[in-house]
Amino acid sequence: MKDEYSEDELRKEEREKALQEGIQKGMEKGMEKGMEKGMQEGMEKGKHQQALGIAANLLDLLDDQTIAQKTGLSLEQVAQLRLCI
């Protein structure tokens, strides 16, 4: 009887340990994916800010259409930038 109890307890502990390991791995994977997504979003935001800066420098030299083509911004974004500056 003592051996059966020990086996049951051992199985229960092993299941609990496996569950905790699974949770830990899931959390690590989720954090990794979150970091990747955050970095990607940060890079995109940085590129957009760079394009806005370039466009701002070109406002007194070029028309909105040309600025939009060269920076990748939309005509609306260039027009809005022109209003703000």
Side-chain angles (χ1 to χ4, degrees), residues 38-73:
M39 289 187 67
Q40 181 65 31
E41 289 175 3
M43 294 288 288
E44 289 172 10
K45 185 176 181 179
K47 286 180 183 180
H48 181 73
Q49 290 297 322
Q50 183 180 25
L52 288 172
I54 292 169
N57 289 330
L58 296 174
L59 288 174
D60 61 342
L61 301 172
L62 301 171
D63 63 280
D64 290 1
Q65 180 70 36
T66 304
I67 294 172
Q69 287 175 341
K70 298 301 180 186
T71 62
L73 297 172

Side-chain angles (χ1 to χ4, degrees), residues 26-39:
M27 288 177 64
E28 289 171 5
K29 189 171 184 176
M31 290 290 289
E32 184 178 316
K33 285 187 177 246
M35 293 286 286
E36 288 174 11
K37 183 178 180 182
M39 289 187 67

